[in-house]
Amino acid sequence: MKKILMFVVVLFIAISGVKAQHDHDHPRNEIGLGVSGVYEINHKEFSPGFHAHYFRSFSPHSDWAWGGGVEYVRGDEDHFEIGMGVRYEPVRKLQLSLLPGISIADEVQFSLHSELIYEAFHISKIHLGPVIGYAWTKDHSHLSAGVHIAYAF
């Protein structure tokens, strides 16, 4: 688990060193939803997962945004994760999010949630694409893969 967490952190730092060239304004706000298949590593089972988030960019031309999200994983031990953090867009259409927060199941624990999103399709202010994620607490971790849809304004 610690190796996976370190990999996510190192990947985040490495990608943040790449600077994308943008010649257009970005919408400052985004509301997104995701549906995914979740593999709960500790329980060795698959469950459905649902995610919602809001992000606001630091400035009109910024590749960085701050925001928060909530995730619900339905399984033998249902749990919620709530977090606030940052999102970075190192290259156009590719977003990496890191959200520390809390996980609520049998007890409340510190959690770290990361996501990698590729905005494959843009239709006006709506974008759609694949998402992969990893979430960690001291007693639980899971991997997820699914579809992300968001409205930018």
Side-chain angles (χ1 to χ4, degrees), residues 2 40 65 67 113:
K2 289 182 182 181
E40 298 184 61
H113 185 90

Side-chain angles (χ1 to χ4, degrees), residues 3-151:
K3 288 181 182 181
I4 293 173
L5 181 60
M6 279 304 292
F7 173 76
V8 170
V9 171
V10 169
L11 179 65
F12 184 77
I13 291 168
I15 289 176
S16 69
V18 178
K19 179 65 181 152
Q21 297 296 317
H22 293 327
D23 57 357
H24 62 280
D25 285 339
H26 293 270
R28 300 276 317 264
N29 302 284
E30 176 187 287
I31 296 174
L33 300 171
V35 176
S36 59
V38 176
Y39 178 68
E40 298 184 61
I41 296 168
N42 301 61
H43 299 289
K44 296 180 177 37
E45 68 179 15
F46 288 92
S47 303
F50 307 93
H51 177 87
H53 70 253
Y54 167 79
F55 282 103
R56 180 170 172 82
S57 66
F58 290 176
S59 68
H61 299 284
S62 180
D63 296 327
W64 289 90
W66 63 272
V70 61
E71 180 181 55
Y72 171 64
V73 177
R74 175 90 174 116
D76 284 344
E77 294 182 7
D78 293 0
H79 71 272
F80 287 91
E81 291 192 15
I82 302 167
M84 294 186 70
V86 295
R87 181 187 72 200
Y88 181 63
E89 187 175 347
V91 293
R92 191 157 188 245
K93 296 186 177 185
L94 185 67
Q95 299 175 349
L96 180 61
S97 302
L98 192 59
L99 302 167
I102 58 170
S103 179
I104 304 167
D106 293 337
E107 59 181 306
V108 176
Q109 296 182 356
F110 172 78
S111 69
L112 186 60
H113 185 90
S114 59
E115 287 186 340
L116 183 64
I117 297 170
Y118 179 68
E119 298 175 341
F121 304 101
H122 282 247
I123 303 166
S124 185
K125 294 182 177 192
I126 297 174
H127 58 260
L128 175 73
V131 58
I132 57 173
Y134 175 73
W136 172 88
T137 70
K138 70 178 177 107
D139 295 331
H140 170 86
S141 28
H142 66 255
L143 297 165
S144 60
V147 178
H148 170 263
I149 186 168
Y151 175 72

